[in-house]
């Protein structure tokens, strides 16, 4: 049995849900082990949205899809995923071929470019003895299929998560620095403003004091 992350991409949303149902049935018949799965789509803005989920044999809320698949979807739907994929405004039919997708520099890029705007996809974490079951579902439903070793995907997800943490820390540092520089530039102005107001306040206070 091999641990894999599989991606099936469809031009029709209903077929993604049908594929999820067929994977659940294959799981129930011990043809493969379905660990987690999620139906996602990419809307007109390029945003990746999780629509349905499945974990450890039971349906779950989309936000609760856990484990490696949850981490993968978190990265792909986040800022780094958008940066890696770029503006994928192409429709599904304009993807040149799976060979072109295979030439992407990273697995995350391969998967991101395999879910173009307007498509619906099924991501799944499975243990399978051979590829016949999933490939048969993909062929019957007319899906683009991408299969990658779970271990390789996990390494990329871990690196991506680390990169996001570093980027967030660097962003905080830059913001603080810019704020400090802005404050320093305005410090003298602020000091003059406060000084003028204090002078006026003291004058008013003195005007109300008893005359000696």
């Amino acid at each position: 049995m091999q641990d894999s992350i599989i991606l099936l991409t469809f031009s029709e949303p209903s077929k993604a849900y049908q594929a999820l149902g067929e994977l659940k049935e294959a799981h129930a018949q011990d043809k493969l082990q379905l660990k987690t799965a999620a139906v996602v789509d990419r809307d007109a803005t390029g945003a990746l949205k999780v629509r349905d989920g499945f974990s450890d044999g039971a349906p779950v809320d989309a936000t609760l899809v856990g484990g490696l698949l949850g981490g993968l979807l978190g990265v792909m739907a986040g800022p780094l995923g958008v940066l890696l994929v770029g503006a994928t405004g192409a429709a599904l039919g304009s993807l040149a071929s799976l060979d072109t997708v295979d030439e992407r520099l990273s697995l995350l890029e391969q998967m991101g470019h395999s879910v173009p705007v307007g498509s619906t996809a099924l991501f799944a974490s499975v243990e399978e003895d051979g590829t016949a079951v999933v490939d048969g579902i993909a062929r019957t439903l007319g899906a683009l299929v991408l299969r990658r070793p779970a271990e390789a995907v996990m390494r990329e997800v871990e690196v991506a998560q680390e990169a996001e943490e570093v980027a967030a820390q660097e962003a905080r540092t830059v913001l603080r620095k810019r704020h400090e520089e802005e404050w320093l530039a305005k410090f003298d102005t602020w000091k003059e403003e406060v000084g003028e107001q204090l002078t006026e306040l003291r004058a008013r206070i003195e005007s109300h004091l008893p005359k000696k």
Side-chain angles (χ1 to χ4, degrees), residues 63-131:
T63 59
L64 299 179
V65 175
L68 172 57
L69 189 59
L72 170 63
L73 293 174
V75 170
M76 290 188 63
L80 183 58
V82 174
L83 181 65
L84 285 173
V85 176
T88 57
L92 181 64
S94 66
L95 278 177
S97 68
L98 202 54
D99 291 338
T100 301
V101 176
D102 284 339
E103 292 172 2
R104 302 293 178 191
L105 295 179
S106 74
L107 300 184
L108 293 178
E109 285 178 295
Q110 291 175 19
M111 291 182 175
H113 282 274
S114 295
V115 189
V117 167
S119 67
T120 303
L122 171 63
F123 284 84
S125 174
V126 301
E127 283 188 19
E128 52 184 353
D129 185 13
T131 64

Side-chain angles (χ1 to χ4, degrees), residues 158-176:
E158 289 174 348
V159 171
Q161 290 171 334
E162 291 173 3
E164 288 181 337
E165 291 176 5
V166 171
Q169 181 58 45
E170 289 181 350
R172 286 192 289 269
T173 300
V174 170
L175 287 172
R176 282 197 299 267

Side-chain angles (χ1 to χ4, degrees), residues 17 20 24 37-40 49-54 59-62 65:
Y17 291 97
L20 176 58
K24 291 178 183 179
V39 175
V40 308
K49 304 291 185 181
V50 181
R51 299 303 184 188
D52 194 11
F54 173 90
V60 297
D61 183 88
V65 175

